Amino acid sequence: EAGVAQSPRYKIIEKRQSVAFWCNPISGHATLYWYQQILGQGPKLLIQFQNNGVVDDSQLPKDRFSAERLKGVDSTLKIQPAKLEDSAVYLCASRPDRGTGSGYTFGSGTRLTVV
Amino acid sequence: SQQGEEDPQALSIQEGENATMNCSYKTSINNLQWYRQNSGRGLVHLILIRSNEREKHSGRLRVTLDTSKKSSSLLITASRAADTASYFCATGTDNYGQNFVFGPGTRLSVLP
């Protein structure tokens, strides 16, 4: 089965610019997550979708971050405007709906550098 | 917080030796997972252990869970240079759609 696809792989932008990341989860996986991983730290959840509905966005900085998952498949994460501290790897993950406690499948991530 | 905390933060061993990493957490969990992350890559799911299980094996990996001590360990036997990576534990409180909370990870270096 194909894995979780993310693009772009790398992105360098200036602060106050906007950026968008794209994720295509594994076919049939209802649950999709976006994580932010700052260098040297573990991934931190930004938002969780179940199909096209938001389950948890309590840690999403909503003044600058937004995410959507149209038709319950692909998802985009946007930052506008970016700050220096947003430099991180943005990971997308998916898992089956109501799985038996199965693990996540992660994409390779998008490495964002804000200068 | 249900976040796991790995220990040690960094570990360096020779090829062929065993590597043991520990994870401690604070609240009751339904399951605990271990992930590996190679530099610049996404995380790879290694193994999941449920709260009613005490030990699981997968190839050269052995995971234990002690719910009374709120801790888990990951043992990699006969390590190889390719095992060099960061290892994360993630705790979950239910089977259904619950997001998992990751610890800061253990950076393992296996020297040839």
Side-chain angles (χ1 to χ4, degrees), chain B residues 7-66:
Chain B
D7 170 65
Q9 289 186 336
L11 179 62
S12 186
I13 60 173
Q14 295 293 132
E15 209 165 20
E17 294 180 338
N18 296 341
T20 299
M21 288 158 271
N22 302 297
C23 172
S24 59
Y25 56 92
K26 295 191 172 84
T27 61
S28 295
I29 61 171
N30 175 276
N31 57 73
L32 185 146
Q33 305 183 36
W34 286 92
Y35 287 80
R36 182 188 73 233
Q37 185 178 38
N38 293 90
S39 180
R41 308 293 295 179
L43 283 78
V44 174
H45 180 252
L46 296 176
I47 200 163
L48 179 149
I49 186 165
R50 293 187 171 81
S51 59
N52 61 351
E53 297 175 311
R54 292 296 166 258
E55 188 171 309
K56 282 190 88 167
H57 297 256
S58 177
R60 294 183 296 111
L61 305 180
R62 172 177 168 250
V63 169
T64 62
L65 179 64
D66 187 334

Side-chain angles (χ1 to χ4, degrees), chain A residues 56-108:
Chain A
D56 184 353
D57 65 355
S58 57
Q59 297 188 80
L60 187 73
K62 298 180 186 67
D63 58 333
R64 298 183 301 106
F65 286 64
S66 64
E68 60 181 6
R69 190 182 184 196
L70 298 176
K71 301 180 181 178
V73 182
D74 293 7
S75 178
T76 56
L77 175 69
K78 297 179 182 177
I79 307 175
Q80 182 178 11
K83 293 185 176 180
L84 296 177
E85 58 260 36
D86 298 332
S87 294
V89 176
Y90 291 84
L91 295 163
C92 179
S94 69
R95 63 194 288 242
D97 185 27
R98 300 187 71 82
T100 56
S102 58
Y104 294 170
T105 300
F106 279 87
S108 295

Side-chain angles (χ1 to χ4, degrees), chain A residues 25-36:
Chain A
I26 290 176
S27 178
H29 280 195
T31 309
L32 183 148
Y33 309 81
W34 282 101
Y35 279 85
Q36 180 194 58

Side-chain angles (χ1 to χ4, degrees), chain A residues 20-45:
Chain A
F21 313 126
W22 174 82
C23 173
N24 181 232
I26 290 176
S27 178
H29 280 195
T31 309
L32 183 148
Y33 309 81
W34 282 101
Y35 279 85
Q36 180 194 58
Q37 186 177 24
I38 293 172
L39 186 65
Q41 298 182 17
K44 184 188 86 170
L45 178 72

